[in-house]
Amino acid sequence: MASNGGDPPMVVTVTGAAGQIAYSLLPAICAGRMFGPTTRVALRLLEIPPAMTSLGGVVMELTDCAWPLLASVTATSDAAEAFAGANAAVLVGAFPRGPGMERAELLAKNAGIFKAQGAALDAGAAPGCKVVVVGNPANTNAMILSHFAPSIPKKNISALTRLDHNRAVAAVAAAVGAPLGDVGGVCIWGNHSSTQYPDVTRATVAGKPDVNVVEVMGGQQALSETFIPTIQKRGAAIIAARKMSSAMSAAKAICDHMASWVGGSDGATVSMGVAGAGEYGIEAGTFFSYPVTCTGGEWSIVEGLTVDEASRKYIDATSQELQAERSDALSVLSAAAESKL
Ligand SMILES: NC(=O)c1ccc[n+]([C@@H]2O[C@H](COP(=O)([O-])OP(=O)(O)OC[C@H]3O[C@@H](n4cnc5c(N)ncnc54)[C@H](O)[C@@H]3O)[C@@H](O)[C@H]2O)c1
C-alpha cells in the first residue's frame, strides 16, 4: 500500500457526505482502511445545500475524532470545489427511489446528478483519479458519469459491487464452515441490482482442494432456489429489517474496493463494475460487474473462465437489464438534447 507520510495528502472526494453510508465510510477512510495506515487524506465532502447544516455536524465529529491521518476537511455544495485535484472520488450521493417511482424517472433524476459531477471531475480531478460510483443505479450512473468525463480514462471509473461480493463470500464461508479468508473464486456478474449473478461455480476453499462448494451448498437447484435469490435480495432484506439501507457493510465494501484497486488484490478474484472490452459476450463499454484481479493500481478482468449453461442464463439476464437501463438513460439524455452516449 502506498505511503505518503511526508508527501501531500491524498485528496479524497466523497459525495452524499451527510448520508448514512458516509457516516460509516468517513471514519474508515480516516482510520486508513482505504489507502493504508500511513497515507494522510484531505477530505472533500460534497452535499446538496439542504444537507449542509447536517454535514457541518459530521465535520465537527471528524475533527473531534482527532484522526492522525486526516490532514484537512472541506465541506461544500459546489461540485467544482469538491472535485478539484481529487486523487480518488467516492460517489455515494444519489437521488433515492421513492415509493412507486418508475426506473426511467429514477434514471432521469440521477442522470442529471452524474452528468454534472462527471463534468466537474473532468474539469478538476487530478491525473489518475480513481472513481467509484456507489449511488444507485450504480452501473448506469457510472456510465453516465464516464460519458461526461471524457478526459478520465474509462478504466479509472468503476461501480461498486464489492458489497454483493462480500455477501456471497460470507454466505459460502458459513455454508462450508471455513474462515472467510479461505474462500476464493467467488464473483458477482452484472448489475448491482436484483438481477446480479453471484457465481460460486468456481469457488474454492484454501487447503481443502476436495471440497466442491456447489455440492456442499446443495447443488445447482438449491443455489437457484436459495443462495442466488438470497444474495440478489439481501439489500431489500436489510431495508425491510432496518427500515434503512445497508450502510455499515456498504462502507466496508467501498473501502475493500478501493484498497484492492489501489493496493492490489494479492492474486485474489474480487468483483468490480467496470467497462470491459466485450469479455464474456457483454457489450463493450457496459459498466458490468466482472471477476477481476488488481495489481499495480489497475484491474484486469479474469479471462478464460468456463461459463456453464445455468450461469450463462443469469449473465444474459443481468446484461439485458443493463442494456435496458442504458437505453432509458439514453432517452432521458437525448430528450434533454444531449449528445449520444
Ligand atoms: N452499490 C452499492 O453496493 C450500494 C449499497 C448500498 C447503498 N447504495 C446506494 O448508495 C446511495 C446512498 O445511500 P445512503 O444510505 O448513504 O443514502 P442517504 O440518503 O442516507 O444519503 C445520501 C446522501 O446523498 C446526498 N445527495 C443527494 N444528491 C446529491 C448530490 N447531487 N450531490 C451530493 N450529495 C447528494 C443526500 O443529501 C444524502 O445526504 C443510495 O443510492 C443507495 O441506494 C449502493
Side-chain angles (χ1 to χ4, degrees), residues 21-49:
I21 290 178
Y23 199 73
S24 289
L25 177 66
L26 297 171
I29 296 173
C30 294
R33 300 257 155 74
M34 192 176 270
F35 301 111
T38 59
T39 301
R40 292 181 308 131
V41 292
L43 289 177
R44 301 276 173 74
L45 308 181
L46 182 67
E47 260 296 351
I48 51 174

Side-chain angles (χ1 to χ4, degrees), residues 16-217:
Q20 55 148 0
I21 290 178
Y23 199 73
S24 289
L25 177 66
L26 297 171
I29 296 173
C30 294
R33 300 257 155 74
M34 192 176 270
F35 301 111
T38 59
T39 301
R40 292 181 308 131
V41 292
L43 289 177
R44 301 276 173 74
L45 308 181
L46 182 67
E47 260 296 351
I48 51 174
M52 288 306 289
T53 303
S54 171
L55 183 57
V58 173
V59 171
M60 284 188 245
E61 285 210 67
L62 283 168
T63 306
D64 296 349
C65 285
W67 300 104
L69 294 179
L70 183 57
S72 63
V73 192
T74 306
T76 180
S77 57
D78 173 6
E81 184 183 8
F83 290 114
N87 302 113
V90 184
L91 277 69
V92 181
F95 196 91
R97 187 171 207 148
M101 189 188 273
E102 293 298 325
R103 180 177 67 187
E105 192 185 346
L106 180 73
L107 283 165
K109 297 277 189 200
N110 281 294
I113 293 175
F114 285 86
K115 175 185 170 189
Q117 294 187 356
L121 265 166
D122 194 60
C129 178
K130 286 181 164 50
V131 182
V132 56
V133 175
V134 178
N136 282 317
N139 301 52
T140 297
N141 288 341
M143 178 200 69
I144 292 165
L145 180 95
S146 173
H147 179 71
F148 290 102
S151 72
I152 300 191
K154 275 196 164 47
K155 69 182 173 63
N156 284 13
I157 298 175
S158 63
L160 185 78
T161 55
R162 185 64 171 265
L163 174 55
D164 311 293
H165 178 99
N166 286 349
R167 287 167 174 162
V169 169
V172 170
V176 302
L180 283 158
D182 287 357
V183 174
V186 172
C187 73
I188 304 295
W189 299 89
N191 202 2
H192 170 69
S193 76
S194 59
T195 67
Q196 66 178 265
Y197 174 43
D199 182 358
V200 297
T201 58
R202 285 168 299 277
T204 55
V205 180
K208 295 185 180 175
D210 296 335
V211 171
N212 179 322
V213 171
V214 174
E215 270 174 26
V216 174
M217 294 180 77

